[in-house]
Amino acid sequence: MAILGSIIKTAIDLRGALVPEKSPIESQKEVLKMLLEKAKKTSFGKYYGFENILKAENIEKSFAENVPYFDYHEMDMEWWSQVQLGMEDITWPGKPTYFARSSGTTGKSSKKIPVTDEMIDAIRNTGIKQVGALANFEVPSDFYEKEILMLGSSTHLVEENEFLEGEISGISASNIPFWFRGYYKPGEEIALMEDWDEKVETIAKRAKEWDIGALSGIPSWMELMLKKVIEHHNIENIHEIWPNLKVYTSGGVAFQPYEKSFNQLLAEPITVIDTYLASEGFLAFQERPETTSMKLVTDTGIYFEFVPFLPEYINKDGSLSQDAPALTLSEVEKDTDYVLIISTVSGAWRYLIGDTIAFTDVEKAEIKITGRTKFFLNVVGSQLSVNKMEVALCEMEEKFDIKIPEFTLAAVKIDDEFYHHWYLGTETSIDRNEIAEALDSALKEANNNYKVARSKALKGVKVTTINPNIFHEWNAKNKKKGGQVKMEKVMDEEKFATWEAFVKEQQSK
């Protein structure tokens, strides 16, 4: 048994036994109070009366009553634009060191989200918590001596005025602790590369030099990287070159749609641990092996609220109605979809992050991501969430023995009648009508609102199958490869027309 690995594993086990955890509900009360105390002298805190909120008998209720919801555009236009001009004490004391650039999945231009030194500390502390949680998983002691390959965006940060800008994965990687640098791959030189294809090609060439025990990154880009390594070395699977690979830390999107295709790149099963790292912070991670759900990080600089995900509370642009009720962690229920609202040490306040979640265990504060507010397809009352879509597609994978790692769809009008037109990324040839019928049946069975819509305004389902690589090229054309880039699952008719033209162009090459 490796001595160093055994020492590290023992230290992790001991830390877990010695450090008692407060209840998530109590932790959240303390976090909200801390946020309000620290920001009460800022322009935002003065405008919304944080000092008075702190005097209230019920601080959570007073906070919700006095501070409105903000989506990115409102927060940026009214407050963060002042921060970008160099003004101090706007939504958080002082100035942020960084701005995280995020194009998201629906926006036309990059968002710039402030990242303070306190947020960097919070992300780092959550990362340490996640490493500590490895004690709950069955990994050998020598795993702790292996290297970790983190596939993210470039760590080269652009200086804009007095701030450094980049994607959150690049900002986080540029702030890794000194003691971790010996384990970190692909190393600083490769991590600085901005061209994703060049970065992956270099990783493939250098792969034999490393003893990788863990991978970390978004599933779609990680899968492409692994394929490139396998192809470059002319091997059957990734374990031929990294035999000690035991863990994959997934993030950004749900891993389940990629599970089947991902596993085909392995010689043996590995432990997959889900994480929830967004441009706004490190929100949750999978703490134990008995579930694929993630535990909200309730004690490290983020306060959470939850709005029931109902059509009457969602505006057409995906923002929230100010009349929508917000629940605290003490009020939520299991298996109910909620819009996630956060307030953070980076000066985001009652901020609509754009994701929907559901609790799988309220007491443990464990959640699963169920979709995006803008990816809620309800053009004709079908009320389809991304989670329902992905569950149905997993059924299609099993039924037809195929892999569908990518998809998108839109409600389109043909001869004055609405259809759901799906594009499925698969390398397998399959009858489109047959899978359209099966997909339609699965959605009817899983979602009563969809079933009602199909009997009325929604005429039918159309399916087009394409090579999954076309989805990656679409992302490359519209944004860039790698990093935090994710495929939009639902498009409006205008964007869908652009998408279809792009697909035809790619297929004609």
Side-chain angles (χ1 to χ4, degrees):
M1 181 181 289
I3 296 175
L4 178 60
S6 181
I7 292 171
I8 295 172
K9 188 176 192 305
T10 301
I12 288 172
D13 290 342
L14 188 61
R15 183 182 183 277
L18 293 178
V19 180
E21 271 200 358
K22 290 183 179 177
S23 78
I25 292 172
E26 287 305 310
S27 293
Q28 281 287 273
K29 288 180 179 179
E30 291 180 9
V31 166
L32 177 60
K33 190 172 181 181
M34 177 274 291
L35 291 172
L36 294 170
E37 284 281 3
K38 286 200 170 185
K40 66 185 180 183
K41 300 294 187 184
T42 64
S43 298
F44 191 95
K46 292 175 181 177
Y47 188 85
Y48 287 108
F50 281 10
E51 287 198 357
N52 289 331
I53 293 173
L54 283 162
K55 295 173 185 174
E57 185 176 342
N58 186 325
I59 293 177
E60 297 100 315
K61 184 179 178 183
S62 179
F63 179 61
E65 288 176 347
N66 287 282
V67 182
Y69 300 122
F70 289 89
D71 63 14
Y72 170 76
H73 300 291
E74 292 164 335
M75 198 78 207
D76 183 60
M77 181 176 63
E78 297 178 30
W79 299 99
W80 287 343
S81 58
Q82 300 175 55
V83 181
Q84 291 178 48
L85 291 174
M87 298 176 71
E88 294 186 354
D89 303 331
I90 301 302
T91 63
W92 193 253
K95 301 177 187 179
T97 304
Y98 308 92
F99 273 91
R101 288 197 307 230
S102 169
S103 57
T105 43
T106 54
K108 293 182 179 178
S109 59
S110 290
K111 300 175 181 178
K112 292 184 179 183
I113 297 158
V115 180
T116 60
D117 291 341
E118 290 94 333
M119 179 56 77
I120 292 295
D121 288 342
I123 291 172
R124 186 184 293 119
N125 290 336
T126 301
I128 292 170
K129 288 175 183 284
Q130 185 189 356
V131 171
L134 283 172
N136 300 326
F137 296 82
E138 292 184 10
V139 293
S141 294
D142 63 358
F143 166 80
Y144 296 97
E145 292 187 331
K146 307 305 177 185
E147 295 161 326
I148 300 175
L149 175 57
M150 299 170 65
L151 185 66
S153 54
S154 173
T155 55
H156 174 70
L157 305 178
V158 178
E159 192 168 344
E160 186 74 26
N161 298 324
E162 57 189 296
F163 308 107
L164 293 173
E165 297 184 359
E167 287 191 16
I168 192 64
S169 58
I171 293 171
S172 299
S174 67
N175 280 279
I176 59 174
F178 72 92
W179 53 264
F180 182 67
R181 295 186 186 276
Y183 298 93
Y184 168 63
K185 296 298 174 197
E188 293 182 36
E189 181 183 346
I190 300 174
L192 281 166
M193 293 180 178
E194 297 190 52
D195 185 282
W196 192 83
D197 291 316
E198 180 188 4
K199 179 185 289 188
V200 170
E201 188 67 40
T202 308
I203 289 172
K205 289 176 182 176
R206 298 278 300 277
K208 278 189 175 179
E209 301 172 22
W210 307 327
D211 187 6
I212 301 298
L215 302 170
S216 177
I218 288 179
S220 55
W221 304 117
M222 185 62 69
E223 190 174 310
L224 285 177
M225 185 275 290
L226 294 179
K227 285 180 178 178
K228 178 61 73 173
V229 174
I230 290 169
E231 176 190 327
H232 182 85
H233 294 279
N234 195 26
I235 53 179
E236 292 295 320
N237 60 73
I238 199 63
H239 278 108
E240 288 187 37
I241 201 161
W242 293 328
N244 294 307
L245 177 61
K246 302 293 183 187
V247 173
Y248 169 43
T249 302
S250 176
V253 295
F255 176 69
Q256 281 70 29
Y258 301 91
E259 185 173 12
K260 191 168 184 177
S261 56
F262 192 92
N263 286 342
Q264 290 195 336
L265 305 176
L266 312 174
E268 60 189 57
I270 63 175
T271 299
V272 177
I273 301 174
D274 270 324
T275 63
Y276 188 3
L277 173 63
S279 298
E280 293 82 1
F282 198 161
L283 308 183
F285 63 88
Q286 185 181 341
E287 188 181 48
R288 56 196 181 97
E290 307 91 67
T291 178
T292 57
S293 300
M294 297 176 289
K295 180 182 178 68
L296 285 174
V297 184
T298 55
D299 60 353
T300 315
I302 302 176
Y303 176 69
F304 299 97
E305 295 174 273
F306 312 91
V307 174
F309 186 38
L310 298 172
E312 56 264 36
Y313 299 145
I314 310 297
N315 298 323
K316 190 174 181 181
D317 62 358
S319 63
L320 274 179
S321 165
Q322 292 296 340
D323 297 330
L327 308 181
T328 64
L329 194 54
S330 63
E331 299 170 309
V332 296
E333 297 179 353
K334 184 180 176 183
D335 298 329
T336 300
D337 279 358
Y338 295 104
V339 178
L340 190 60
I341 305 297
I342 62 172
S343 300
T344 78
V345 290
S346 275
W349 296 103
R350 305 203 78 210
Y351 180 85
L352 173 64
I353 195 169
D355 291 323
T356 61
I357 60 98
F359 283 86
T360 56
D361 189 312
V362 173
E363 187 178 350
K364 290 184 171 68
E366 288 181 339
I367 63 161
K368 61 182 178 181
I369 300 172
T370 56
R372 298 279 294 170
T373 55
K374 290 186 178 180
F375 293 168
F376 182 53
L377 190 57
N378 193 33
V379 174
V380 287
S382 53
Q383 294 191 26
L384 273 184
S385 66
V386 170
N387 187 50
K388 292 283 198 307
M389 299 173 197
E390 289 177 343
V391 168
L393 289 179
C394 283
E395 286 186 37
M396 298 305 100
E397 288 188 320
E398 293 301 314
K399 181 179 178 66
F400 295 100
D401 191 24
I402 60 175
K403 297 174 293 181
I404 311 172
E406 299 286 359
F407 75 92
T408 192
L409 76 154
V412 297
K413 212 169 189 181
I414 304 173
D415 298 329
D416 290 328
E417 293 181 311
F418 276 104
Y419 291 78
H420 280 178
H421 189 168
W422 294 70
Y423 272 79
L424 306 182
T426 178
E427 295 177 352
T428 308
S429 178
I430 187 168
D431 185 275
R432 297 176 183 182
N433 294 326
E434 187 178 357
I435 195 170
E437 186 177 334
L439 181 58
D440 189 35
S441 296
L443 289 168
K444 284 178 183 175
E445 192 172 330
N447 187 337
N448 190 58
N449 289 315
Y450 177 85
K451 186 176 181 180
V452 171
R454 280 289 286 112
S455 68
K456 295 180 180 177
L458 184 59
K459 182 66 176 178
V461 172
K462 292 167 63 69
V463 167
T464 300
T465 58
I466 59 174
N467 190 301
N469 287 331
I470 294 179
F471 289 87
H472 304 140
E473 293 306 318
W474 168 263
N475 282 334
K477 175 181 180 291
N478 288 276
K479 300 150 190 171
K480 59 182 177 180
K481 288 184 176 179
Q484 299 295 108
V485 177
K486 294 160 277 188
M487 182 69 195
E488 56 261 72
K489 302 303 185 186
V490 175
M491 297 182 183
D492 59 28
E493 279 198 87
E494 182 181 352
K495 191 160 194 177
F496 196 69
T498 306
W499 158 256
E500 291 199 291
F502 177 80
V503 171
K504 287 178 182 177
E505 179 186 327
Q506 291 295 303
Q507 290 176 329
S508 65
K509 288 184 178 179

